[in-house]
Amino acid sequence: MSDKGDPVLVALVSCGSEYAGVQSELEKAASMLNAKLVYPEMDVATLDTIGMEFGLEVASPDLRLMMARAKAVVEGVSKVDGVFVTSCFRCAEAAIVRNELRRYIFEESGLPVISYSFTERTTAATLLTRLEALTTIARRKHLLARTKQNGITAGIDSGSTTTKAVVMKDNEIVGEGWVPTIKVLESAETALQQALDQSGLKKEDIQAIGTTGYGRFLVGEHFKADLVQEEITMNSKGAVYLADKQKGPATVIDIGGMDNKAISVQDGIPGMFTMGGICAGASGRFLEMTAKRLGVEITELGDLAIKGMGENVEMNSYCIVFGIQSLVNSLAKGSSPEDVAAAACHSVVEQIFEQQLQEVEVKEPLILVGGSSLIAGVPKALGDLLKIDVIVPPHSQLIGAVGAALLASGYVSE
């Protein structure tokens, strides 16, 4: 799982990770990736005045230490390749500090930054993808800068709910497959075969394979993949490629079946990013449950939402359980299916705004991807909320597989 060579140095700018028992999990995840956590050195005397420098007067000495370490990173006291800014999700004051520091570090240093709020149950497995993205950006910038696919390559995205595959040839998608993720390897085999059948090619024609998603390691080993890489860099690369926005800034929002990603991208390479919320109510799973309750296919939910008015439905909670309960209560009071569908889409988008989009810099163009982007009510709700145009590129549900096929072509001899 780890790359050979010198370890990637990741500055840990944190508050409460020791008390919550997360510190050992952070260390474990870093060791799995041949990364080393660095605790930036700073002048203890600055702790009394550091809050004034940031305009954030806080009582907690740990938060002041967090600010001092952020300043040390920017001043280059500790040489690092990326920064992990994290605090406990229970502390509102820490959330304000964390948000300010990730912006300050990125703008002043240009280092890739991930912001994350942990719980007492956060494990190394949960942290792995986030840390892996930082190490990928540090190790593979030359690969991430790739803008065109060459040769014949395949990409497989083994996701939490669906498995996607594409076959690309000379910078064009010539085949695609999309199946539910049931048995990981069987689903990957089926999706790839669908893509091959559509392309008219055979497996032996493939010159390189890339894998991503939750099952990337298992699938990568099975197919002897040339590139196995986390979904933050793969998905953002696929998104800007499909949207034809590989130069300049962009913001990618990926609403997945189990979690979400918000990624600030510059020239196709992630700079700031965050992944997942505390609650699944902001994921595609909530929309699936809404569609089931309304007695429609998930593909029909978007058309219903376009016709509805979400403000007519009272949503008392973002929780996936209580959120559905709110929708059921609204139906019992006479709300129309259209209004309920619209409310569900708005609920997902509002939670993404309040959680993920507070952790990154939102710059246009805004690219919405993932399976939920195909539900018409979701991009409409997002555009209405942010008052900007939302781009849903072609093949938006296949961004991980496309990113994998595109980057895997870096292993094809030209």
Side-chain angles (χ1 to χ4, degrees):
M1 192 179 300
S2 63
D3 283 31
K4 296 179 180 179
D6 295 334
V8 171
L9 303 180
V10 178
L12 183 62
V13 177
S14 66
C15 176
S17 57
E18 298 91 347
Y19 306 127
V22 177
Q23 188 64 38
S24 61
E25 299 300 312
L26 283 161
E27 296 281 0
K28 188 186 301 182
S31 67
M32 295 168 71
L33 297 165
N34 189 24
K36 180 181 179 182
L37 296 181
V38 175
Y39 305 90
E41 297 181 3
M42 42 75 210
D43 185 353
V44 177
T46 65
L47 293 179
D48 292 332
T49 59
I50 193 69
M52 294 177 60
E53 292 185 41
F54 282 93
L56 295 168
E57 291 294 342
V58 295
S60 168
D62 284 347
L63 288 178
R64 294 199 296 271
L65 179 61
M66 195 175 174
M67 288 187 274
R69 282 180 167 162
K71 183 179 179 182
V73 169
V74 168
E75 292 180 345
V77 175
S78 298
K79 300 298 182 183
V80 295
D81 303 302
V83 186
F84 197 109
V85 183
T86 186
S87 64
C88 178
F89 85 103
R90 296 183 184 278
C91 181
E93 189 174 48
I96 295 171
V97 173
R98 187 180 72 245
N99 188 46
E100 180 61 31
L101 294 185
R102 59 92 188 158
R103 181 188 297 111
Y104 163 72
I105 293 169
F106 181 71
E107 290 179 352
E108 298 297 327
S109 72
L111 291 167
V113 180
I114 184 167
S115 176
Y116 179 63
S117 57
F118 57 78
T119 72
E120 295 87 343
R121 296 180 181 273
T122 297
T123 64
T126 301
L127 296 163
L128 187 64
T129 297
R130 296 160 174 85
L131 274 171
E132 188 186 348
L134 281 178
T135 63
T136 297
I137 295 167
R139 289 190 174 109
R140 299 175 179 168
K141 275 193 174 180
H142 66 289
L143 186 64
L144 294 174
R146 191 172 192 84
T147 59
K148 290 185 178 181
Q149 184 271 350
N150 68 282
I152 301 174
T153 61
I156 303 173
D157 179 3
S158 178
S160 59
T161 56
T162 59
T163 298
K164 288 78 65 177
V166 300
V167 173
M168 296 185 71
K169 180 179 180 181
D170 299 332
N171 209 36
E172 290 187 7
I173 298 171
V174 294
E176 60 185 71
W178 187 11
V179 299
T181 301
I182 301 174
K183 294 182 178 179
V184 172
L185 292 181
E186 288 183 14
S187 296
E189 285 278 8
T190 301
L192 179 59
Q193 192 58 54
Q194 286 181 359
L196 287 168
D197 290 345
Q198 191 178 103
S199 70
L201 297 167
K202 298 179 180 179
K203 190 179 292 186
E204 48 267 32
D205 295 323
I206 302 298
Q207 296 171 279
I209 293 179
T211 64
T212 191
Y214 284 92
R216 63 189 177 278
F217 297 114
L218 181 63
V219 174
E221 183 179 4
H222 176 73
F223 285 101
K224 296 180 173 56
D226 301 87
L227 179 64
V228 178
Q229 195 163 293
E230 37 63 43
E231 52 267 38
I232 290 172
T233 51
M234 288 287 208
N235 289 13
S236 57
K237 190 63 185 180
V240 295
Y241 171 83
L242 290 170
D244 195 22
K245 300 293 182 182
Q246 296 197 75
K247 296 298 181 183
T251 305
V252 176
I253 299 176
D254 177 11
I255 305 178
M258 197 164 75
D259 60 37
N260 306 312
K261 304 164 192 70
I263 311 164
S264 292
V265 180
Q266 180 67 41
D267 295 332
I269 300 176
M272 283 188 289
F273 49 94
T274 186
M275 176 181 174
I278 299 300
C279 176
S283 71
R285 180 61 178 155
F286 178 69
L287 298 174
E288 288 179 4
M289 292 177 67
T290 301
K292 184 177 181 180
R293 181 61 186 82
L294 292 175
V296 300
E297 296 294 327
I298 186 68
T299 52
E300 302 173 273
L301 186 68
D303 291 335
L304 277 180
I306 291 293
K307 301 172 186 174
M309 298 183 67
E311 57 267 31
N312 291 340
V313 175
E314 184 178 357
M315 291 289 293
N316 295 320
S317 174
Y318 285 141
C319 168
I320 193 168
V321 176
F322 295 117
I324 290 294
Q325 188 177 62
S326 293
L327 298 181
V328 170
N329 289 339
S330 295
L331 287 169
K333 293 176 182 178
S335 293
S336 70
E338 290 82 1
D339 288 350
V340 167
C345 292
H346 276 277
S347 176
V348 168
V349 164
E350 286 170 2
Q351 190 170 175
I352 290 170
F353 173 75
E354 293 183 8
Q355 292 185 5
Q356 271 77 51
L357 292 185
Q358 304 306 314
E359 304 281 0
V360 300
E361 292 300 301
V362 178
K363 295 182 179 180
E364 295 187 71
L366 180 65
I367 306 168
L368 179 63
V369 293
S372 298
S373 67
L374 301 178
I375 300 171
V378 175
K380 180 181 184 301
L382 185 60
D384 290 346
L385 180 65
L386 298 179
K387 308 300 181 188
I388 60 177
D389 292 333
V390 176
I391 297 174
V392 178
H395 307 289
S396 62
Q397 78 279 22
L398 302 175
I399 35 96
V402 170
L406 168 64
L407 296 182
S409 71
Y411 294 85
V412 175
S413 299
E414 298 188 34

